[in-house]
Amino acid sequence: MADSFSSTIQMSLEPLGAGDLIDRSIRFYRKNFWTFILIAAPPVILGTLFFVGWTFLAKNIFSMNSSSEFELAFYQLFLGLGNVVIWVIQTVATLVVMGGASRNFVRHLLYNEEITFGETYRNTKSRLLSLVGISSLITVVLGFFGVFIVYFGFIAGAAAIIFAVWVLEPLPIAAFIVSLVIGIAVAFGTLYLMFLIISRFVYIPQIMMVEGQAAFSAMNRSLSLAGKNVKRVAMLFIFTLVTTYSALAILYIPLGWYAWMEGVQIFSFATVDSIPAWYQIAKQVISQASLILLTPIWMIGLCLLYIDERVRKEGYDVELLAARRLG
């Protein structure tokens, strides 16, 4: 038991770079694959059921045979609103479950206990209302700041590019190069600012469950604990995002072929009725299935990142070893 614990400590509590963080998240995920699939599934299944109901509601509200572009636009807007609601529900649910999983994860490191579905959700249930409240607040705040930053980043970038093109109008090649450099710089600056804000809030569920702090105390603690982790949070997010869309691309191709063989005009919907419910639901099921597969990487990565910050700043590895030895 001691050897097993020592090897776990050595593997999990060394300071981690961005590459190490992703590598160890994947290795830990592979080792506990089915457990993490079960843990990640309930929030995603909840979102899928919500979308199915939302799609049938949209079909009942809007006329099936109307060719009105106005009505079709409202139909698509209604479905888009459903996607936003699903995103909010799933993000909140994932943050809530992440809190329960982080406590189970730390107990795995401390006592070499097995990570289980039941233990994770028992931990979550013990502080469910607090986790739901603070996770909802985090989702709304980060969503607002994300939209705000992207919008003004786009406006600032577009204005800078227009000004550069106007100044360098006699030199089209130079204008193109300068515009490209400005666009890349603004994009990276916008992403950095977004992840700078996100990185200050990602530890709140873990702090609540592992350290037993109240919601707003956990928020202050997360702000103080977050160090120079912007790069690692960004790399973890980008890796998960790219992997998710790669999986979606692989799974969408067979669906697109089948829809084409069934006569569905995927890129030229003319009426509400020409958008089959089965096609929209199948797309959503594929999307949610990819989330079930890849959300655990994000969940494990943030738990490892939380522990890593405490190792770097507070000697958490020594604290865990002492707790393991002394009780």
Side-chain angles (χ1 to χ4, degrees), residues 130-292:
S130 298
L131 285 171
V132 170
I134 196 64
S135 298
S136 301
L137 179 62
I138 293 171
T139 301
V140 171
V141 170
L142 293 184
F144 172 79
F145 277 108
V147 173
F148 181 83
I149 291 170
V150 170
Y151 176 77
F152 280 96
F154 175 80
I155 296 297
I161 290 173
I162 292 171
F163 179 75
V165 171
W166 177 71
V167 171
L168 299 172
E169 184 177 1
L171 303 169
I173 297 177
F176 172 77
I177 294 174
V178 171
S179 300
L180 183 62
V181 171
I182 291 174
I184 294 173
V186 170
F188 273 97
T190 301
L191 286 174
Y192 179 82
L193 186 57
M194 284 180 59
F195 286 113
L196 180 65
I197 296 173
I198 291 171
S199 65
R200 270 46 193 168
F201 292 90
V202 294
Y203 301 138
I204 294 175
Q206 293 93 321
I207 291 170
M208 289 179 63
M209 296 304 299
V210 175
E211 302 178 34
Q213 297 198 21
F216 289 100
S217 298
M219 185 178 294
N220 292 328
R221 165 79 166 144
S222 180
L223 291 172
S224 64
L225 185 62
K228 298 179 180 179
N229 63 347
V230 179
K231 178 182 176 182
R232 294 183 294 169
V233 171
M235 290 295 293
L236 181 64
F237 178 83
I238 292 171
F239 172 79
T240 308
L241 185 67
V242 170
T243 308
T244 300
Y245 278 97
S246 299
L248 286 176
I250 294 172
L251 296 172
Y252 276 153
I253 291 173
L255 176 64
W257 275 104
Y258 179 77
W260 178 76
M261 292 174 62
E262 291 293 318
V264 178
Q265 301 298 319
I266 300 175
F267 301 107
S268 59
F269 293 128
T271 67
V272 173
D273 193 41
S274 67
I275 309 176
W278 68 262
Y279 176 74
Q280 292 174 323
I281 292 171
K283 284 182 62 177
Q284 190 66 22
V285 168
I286 289 174
S287 174
Q288 301 307 308
S290 67
L291 286 178
I292 291 177

Side-chain angles (χ1 to χ4, degrees), residues 20-251:
D20 294 329
L21 177 68
I22 294 172
D23 177 64
R24 294 190 182 183
S25 298
I26 294 173
R27 286 163 58 191
F28 200 81
Y29 178 35
R30 289 175 59 187
K31 185 179 178 181
N32 302 273
F33 177 78
W34 289 111
T35 300
F36 283 114
I37 289 296
L38 290 174
I39 290 173
V44 178
I45 292 174
L46 177 65
T48 304
L49 293 176
F50 178 87
F51 182 82
V52 170
W54 193 273
T55 301
F56 282 109
L57 178 63
K59 288 286 187 180
N60 290 326
I61 291 177
F62 296 92
S63 173
M64 293 294 97
N65 298 314
S66 173
S67 59
S68 169
E69 294 183 359
F70 183 76
E71 185 170 3
L72 182 62
F74 267 96
Y75 175 77
Q76 296 286 10
L77 183 63
F78 189 80
L79 289 180
L81 177 62
N83 283 323
V84 171
V85 174
I86 289 173
W87 177 82
V88 172
I89 292 173
Q90 289 183 335
T91 302
V92 170
T94 300
L95 289 173
V96 169
V97 173
M98 189 186 302
S102 63
R103 184 174 179 180
N104 200 185
F105 186 80
V106 171
R107 289 186 65 84
H108 171 75
L109 296 180
L110 182 56
Y111 301 115
N112 204 28
E113 291 184 358
E114 185 179 1
I115 297 177
T116 65
F117 173 88
E119 185 64 25
T120 295
Y121 277 86
R122 279 192 293 271
N123 293 335
T124 303
K125 183 180 177 181
S126 66
R127 300 198 64 181
L128 182 60
L129 293 179
S130 298
L131 285 171
V132 170
I134 196 64
S135 298
S136 301
L137 179 62
I138 293 171
T139 301
V140 171
V141 170
L142 293 184
F144 172 79
F145 277 108
V147 173
F148 181 83
I149 291 170
V150 170
Y151 176 77
F152 280 96
F154 175 80
I155 296 297
I161 290 173
I162 292 171
F163 179 75
V165 171
W166 177 71
V167 171
L168 299 172
E169 184 177 1
L171 303 169
I173 297 177
F176 172 77
I177 294 174
V178 171
S179 300
L180 183 62
V181 171
I182 291 174
I184 294 173
V186 170
F188 273 97
T190 301
L191 286 174
Y192 179 82
L193 186 57
M194 284 180 59
F195 286 113
L196 180 65
I197 296 173
I198 291 171
S199 65
R200 270 46 193 168
F201 292 90
V202 294
Y203 301 138
I204 294 175
Q206 293 93 321
I207 291 170
M208 289 179 63
M209 296 304 299
V210 175
E211 302 178 34
Q213 297 198 21
F216 289 100
S217 298
M219 185 178 294
N220 292 328
R221 165 79 166 144
S222 180
L223 291 172
S224 64
L225 185 62
K228 298 179 180 179
N229 63 347
V230 179
K231 178 182 176 182
R232 294 183 294 169
V233 171
M235 290 295 293
L236 181 64
F237 178 83
I238 292 171
F239 172 79
T240 308
L241 185 67
V242 170
T243 308
T244 300
Y245 278 97
S246 299
L248 286 176
I250 294 172
L251 296 172

